[in-house]
Amino acid sequence: MNKANFLAALSRGLSGLPKEEIKKQLDYYAELIADMTEDGMTEEEAVGKLGSVDEILRKIREELPTVSPKPKKGKGLNTAAIVVLVVCAPMWIPLLLALGLTVLAVYLSIWAVVASIFVVALSLGFAGCVLFLRGLTLFSMGIGTVLFSLGAAIGFLGLGCMALLLGVLAVKGMILGTKWLFLKIKGMF
């Protein structure tokens, strides 16, 4: 194993330690190998003389002082903030409730518009079917009337299909929008 491979393996084994400690150890062993190569050894011989990476890692970890982690300060609210929240609760709770209900009303209104797209699509499809069947019964009024009626029926059916596709796209968009909204709300907490 050459110097670069040895130091890379040592660095991987030291992951999890403070960066300063990793740099200190890597510098130490790099200098040690450099000294041995100056004395006439090859990199492979110098690395071999140091021993295996696992042995070196075990020695380093044994020599490190065990430091108990400092207790982290909580990100919770301090006493003054809690008192302000409680005292101002009659003001901010109704405002928060009104904001939440407004967002819910807008959300439900958008779903109502999406639902109305499907109603329009069904209405156009139904009108197209009725007009098509009625057109077949208008032969006594002449071929022009029949063709006009059948053409209008096909137009209504086409518009109904387009409205149906628009409704499907609107539902997909609403589902994606709902996921995005919930992720944003979740991220606030």
Side-chain angles (χ1 to χ4, degrees):
M1 181 183 295
N2 65 13
K3 179 180 176 180
N5 291 341
F6 173 79
L7 292 175
L10 188 62
S11 177
R12 283 191 303 271
L14 293 173
S15 65
L17 294 178
K19 290 181 182 179
E20 300 83 27
E21 184 64 31
I22 294 172
K23 183 175 179 349
K24 177 181 150 190
Q25 294 296 333
L26 292 176
D27 289 345
Y28 171 75
Y29 282 99
E31 183 66 30
L32 200 59
I33 294 170
D35 289 344
M36 287 185 210
T37 55
E38 286 176 4
D39 292 338
M41 296 178 132
T42 66
E43 283 186 1
E44 289 77 13
E45 291 173 338
V47 169
K49 189 172 180 181
L50 292 175
S52 74
V53 174
D54 292 332
E55 292 173 7
I56 294 171
L57 288 171
R58 184 179 48 78
K59 288 179 189 175
I60 291 172
R61 293 197 186 275
E62 285 176 359
E63 293 174 1
L64 287 176
T66 55
V67 178
S68 60
K70 295 179 184 177
K72 294 181 179 179
K73 279 190 165 184
K75 292 184 178 180
L77 299 174
N78 61 19
T79 309
I82 293 172
V83 169
V84 169
L85 283 175
V86 170
V87 169
C88 295
M91 184 174 60
W92 67 264
I93 289 178
L95 289 174
L96 190 63
L97 187 60
L99 177 67
L101 290 175
T102 303
V103 169
L104 180 64
V106 169
Y107 180 74
L108 291 176
S109 298
I110 294 171
W111 272 110
V113 170
V114 170
S116 70
I117 293 172
F118 285 103
V119 171
V120 168
L122 289 174
S123 299
L124 287 170
F126 181 74
C129 290
V130 168
L131 199 54
F132 184 79
L133 294 174
R134 178 69 176 142
L136 294 178
T137 63
L138 295 176
F139 281 108
S140 63
M141 299 179 105
I143 193 71
T145 306
V146 172
L147 291 177
F148 177 78
S149 179
L150 294 178
I154 291 172
F156 279 127
L157 288 172
L159 288 173
C161 289
M162 287 175 47
L164 186 64
L165 289 175
L166 178 66
V168 169
L169 290 175
V171 167
K172 287 181 181 179
M174 283 298 295
I175 289 172
L176 290 175
T178 301
K179 286 180 183 178
W180 176 82
L181 181 65
F182 280 129
L183 288 176
K184 287 296 182 183
I185 291 172
K186 183 181 175 185
M188 290 171 26
F189 298 104

